[in-house]
Amino acid sequence: AIERTFSIIKPDAVAKNNIGAIYNRFETAGLKIIASKMVHLSKEQAEGFYAEHSERPFFGALVAFMTSGPIMVQALEGENAVLAHRDILGATDPADAASGTIRADFAESIDENAAHGSDSVASAEREVAYFFSTEELCPRTR
Ligand code: CMP
């Protein structure tokens, strides 16, 4: 089925000028960008987005990193988009990520892992809505 998923290109990958290279991976995989913008998150925005991780030991470092510079946020649309996106991202820890995946090719560590992708259709809906209004989404008819 056609799904939507949510993507972040994190501060490390933006700083390394890898936005276009990562967009190319999305498009090559058949994922269509239906909304996109650059944002520099506030502490409150980052904490709200990652609220499910608030009790984890890495939460403080995660929020500090995600507010350290601008990020790109995207809504992606395509067949089986949530899983298709996670496949091309690779494992959360780049040391475990399969070769040819975004994290294997662009990330340095589990903390600075280049990109985020929704883990389910339900999270995708919440995450897309966290950053984009309905009017900002441009569903593709071709
Ligand atoms: P992301 O998909 O953005 O979701 C939460 C982030 O926390 C994750 O990617 C990692 O960058 C970061 N993180 C740091 N340590 C861990 C860990 N032990 N398990 C999961 N995520 C971690």
Side-chain angles (χ1 to χ4, degrees), residues 96-102 104-105:
D96 300 330
S99 66
T101 60
I102 290 168
D105 291 346

Side-chain angles (χ1 to χ4, degrees), residues 22-139:
I22 294 174
Y23 272 21
N24 187 45
R25 302 289 180 98
F26 298 155
E27 294 192 316
T28 299
L31 294 167
K32 296 177 175 182
I33 299 164
I34 63 162
S36 163
K37 61 189 169 191
M38 181 174 277
V39 292
H40 193 146
L41 294 180
S42 67
K43 187 167 181 278
E44 292 68 30
Q45 283 176 306
E47 287 172 348
F49 181 76
Y50 281 119
E52 69 185 285
H53 295 303
S54 62
E55 304 305 318
R56 308 283 293 273
F58 58 81
F59 186 65
L62 174 61
V63 170
F65 169 60
M66 291 302 293
T67 57
S68 68
I71 62 173
M72 292 295 300
V73 294
Q74 294 72 232
L76 306 177
E77 190 173 78
E79 187 64 31
N80 202 18
V82 172
L83 267 178
H85 181 217
R86 288 180 76 78
D87 278 351
I88 61 168
L89 277 178
T92 304
D93 187 345
D96 300 330
S99 66
T101 60
I102 290 168
R103 286 172 176 146
D105 291 346
F106 299 106
E108 300 301 332
S109 69
I110 191 168
D111 296 299
E112 303 205 0
N113 67 350
H116 163 82
S118 308
D119 62 8
S120 67
V121 170
S123 331
E125 277 180 24
R126 179 188 78 82
E127 292 175 1
V128 168
Y130 195 85
F131 285 99
F132 295 108
S133 66
T134 307
E135 302 76 61
E136 287 179 293
L137 301 171
C138 302

